[in-house]
Amino acid sequence: MNTVTPRIFIAATQQDDGKTTTSIGLFAALKRRLGRIGYIKPVGQRFTEVEGKMIDEDSILIGNTYEVHTPLEAMSPIAVQPDFTRQYIEHGNIKTLTDRIQNSFDRAAWEKDFAIIEGTGHAGVGSVFDLSNARVAQLLASKVLIVTKGGIGRPIDEIALNKALFDQQGVEVVGVILNKVLPEKFDYIENFARRGLGRLGIDLLGVLPVEPILAKPTLQQVCERVQGRFVSGTRNCGRRHVNRVIVGAMTPANLLPQFKAGTLVITPGDREDIILAAIASHHPETGSPLPLAGFILSADHLPHQRIMEKLEESGLPAIASPLDSYSVASGIHSMTVKTMPGDEQKIATIQQLVEKHVEIDRLLQKIAEKGAPSVAGRS
């Protein structure tokens, strides 16, 4: 296996702490400093079928965002499908899996100046099939950067637990990034987290503030969440961001003040009075600066055909969902918002956050310490 290319394993204390966000930002920052960057997510749990192969969604995101020049199947060697664990417990061969991961890493790191390895979940995830994050990091001879949600007590406690698993595998944790820190608590948390982590012998290498746009879903994501389908709107309306959600459960006169830019309105399609009021409020003559995000027509109730025609003319997207209004609102509220391929605004925001708030050069220095593969910028 390749032991020459410098690398870092991006781990986390929990699912959805910000591993992919960190990977996106680090990729851009390292590319500027070093040149050719490789990427691999050895074990993936969220996947999409691409040309007959199950590919992790994060690998697709990185592959579409950057010129990685690596086949997708090499960036995503193992997809944990629903029956994967059962089959492994019954008939699994760990050598087959470890060979696949190491061979895929060799392809992902081929002719690269640095490689990013993204984990999945906390350090112990994958233990049931003998491929915990700690074991994969050891298998790929990588040091580890842990990402966790902002705070002091709980994040540090969780980091200590995760570090114990990496220590058990002989894997060095080079530092921590705190993610989603409230701006008003930024300096306070950075100060005390740095001191608290220092007591564990761990460096704080970055603190990323909360950035509201990263928590905003697109209409396409909402549509998938509510099992819906678009019944009006333009071809690219699925990329429109949702700033807020309201339920149309009052008269149009009382709803009008709520029709603000980026608002998604949940209402049954037979509430034609609400739909017409929204269309009228966003007529160009009103001077409204930005349109509503759109509608979700709950319980699969569609308005009369003439109302549908007015919707199309207005350009307002509408999604029909079989769920009732309460289930639609609950589903959206509990969504985990992921950055998607082509979401240029979010990707640019992530790149700026990581460049500004993560000590990239210090990270590279720690990766290069103690005889690890050297890291040198390209001329």
Side-chain angles (χ1 to χ4, degrees):
M1 188 193 74
N2 177 332
T3 59
V4 176
T5 304
R7 65 206 69 184
I8 189 66
F9 188 101
I10 310 298
T13 54
Q14 296 183 50
Q15 190 175 14
D16 302 319
D17 275 356
K19 296 184 304 299
T20 303
T21 295
T22 300
S23 296
I24 291 170
L26 275 181
F27 196 108
L30 293 171
K31 186 176 182 179
R32 278 191 289 274
R33 288 165 172 80
L34 304 175
R36 300 161 299 183
I37 309 300
Y39 171 91
I40 182 173
K41 187 162 185 178
V43 180
Q45 294 179 300
R46 295 167 55 96
F47 48 85
T48 299
E49 185 173 342
V50 179
E51 297 180 355
K53 299 181 176 67
M54 295 301 174
I55 306 297
D56 179 80
E57 292 178 355
D58 295 327
S59 297
I60 295 172
L61 171 61
I62 294 292
N64 286 354
T65 302
Y66 300 108
E67 295 181 359
V68 185
H69 300 297
T70 302
L72 283 174
E73 61 267 26
M75 295 166 59
S76 178
I78 296 176
V80 182
Q81 301 181 54
D83 61 345
F84 182 92
T85 298
R86 178 186 59 80
Q87 289 186 7
Y88 181 82
I89 291 174
E90 288 185 341
H91 311 293
N93 182 336
I94 186 60
K95 187 176 188 307
T96 299
L97 297 181
T98 56
D99 285 350
R100 188 187 308 169
I101 288 175
Q102 289 184 322
N103 291 337
S104 294
F105 177 80
D106 284 348
R107 296 176 71 190
W110 174 254
E111 293 187 334
K112 301 297 192 299
D113 301 302
F114 194 95
I116 295 172
I117 308 163
E118 184 178 341
T120 179
H122 58 71
V125 170
S127 297
V128 67
F129 44 84
D130 301 317
L131 285 175
S132 68
N133 282 277
R135 170 63 178 136
V136 173
Q138 187 271 338
L139 189 68
L140 297 179
S142 180
K143 296 183 181 182
V144 170
L145 175 66
I146 297 180
V147 183
T148 188
K149 289 181 181 177
I152 301 173
R154 187 173 69 177
I156 292 177
D157 289 345
E158 291 174 346
I159 288 164
L161 283 172
N162 280 265
K163 183 176 183 297
L165 285 177
F166 287 114
D167 288 345
Q168 188 177 58
Q169 292 290 340
V171 174
E172 180 184 350
V173 175
V174 297
V176 166
I177 291 178
L178 294 183
N179 189 29
K180 304 177 185 177
V181 175
L182 295 174
E184 62 270 23
K185 296 184 177 181
F186 191 93
D187 293 338
Y188 170 82
I189 288 178
E190 181 178 30
N191 177 26
F192 280 93
R194 190 179 299 279
R195 291 159 62 181
L197 288 168
R199 293 163 62 89
L200 299 178
I202 304 174
D203 282 354
L204 179 62
L205 295 178
V207 180
L208 303 181
V210 168
E211 183 57 54
I213 190 175
L214 300 183
K216 295 176 181 177
T218 64
L219 278 182
Q220 182 61 47
Q221 290 172 310
V222 169
C223 184
E224 294 171 3
R225 178 67 173 182
V226 302
Q227 305 166 33
R229 68 190 191 281
F230 282 93
V231 293
S232 76
T234 60
R235 185 177 64 177
N236 294 322
C237 67
R239 292 187 178 181
R240 187 177 294 190
H241 290 122
V242 176
N243 295 339
R244 60 198 292 267
V245 179
I246 62 173
V247 177
M250 58 185 77
T251 64
N254 288 327
L255 270 177
L256 279 173
Q258 304 298 320
F259 290 160
K260 300 176 182 178
T263 299
L264 180 64
V265 182
I266 302 170
T267 184
D270 56 8
R271 286 299 305 269
E272 296 179 354
D273 54 341
I274 292 175
I275 297 171
L276 287 172
I279 293 172
S281 71
H282 285 78
H283 191 280
E285 293 178 0
T286 65
S288 179
L290 288 173
L292 291 169
F295 286 97
I296 294 186
L297 307 177
S298 58
D300 265 340
H301 289 311
L302 297 182
H304 190 276
Q305 181 59 34
R306 69 176 183 276
I307 307 298
M308 290 298 301
E309 291 171 359
K310 288 182 178 292
L311 263 177
E312 283 288 351
E313 293 170 2
S314 72
L316 282 174
I319 297 168
S321 169
L323 308 179
D324 59 63
S325 294
Y326 173 80
S327 298
V328 168
S330 298
I332 296 172
H333 178 72
S334 62
M335 281 182 68
T336 297
V337 179
K338 306 283 285 185
T339 303
M340 303 299 291
D343 201 335
E344 296 178 2
Q345 187 177 2
K346 285 187 178 181
I347 291 169
T349 299
I350 291 169
Q351 291 170 342
Q352 293 166 8
L353 282 175
V354 171
E355 184 66 53
K356 180 178 179 180
H357 295 287
V358 176
E359 299 178 50
I360 305 294
D361 295 332
R362 174 64 176 149
L363 171 63
L364 292 175
Q365 178 185 351
K366 292 185 70 65
I367 293 171
E369 288 174 354
K370 298 181 181 178
S374 62
V375 180
R378 300 175 70 195
S379 58

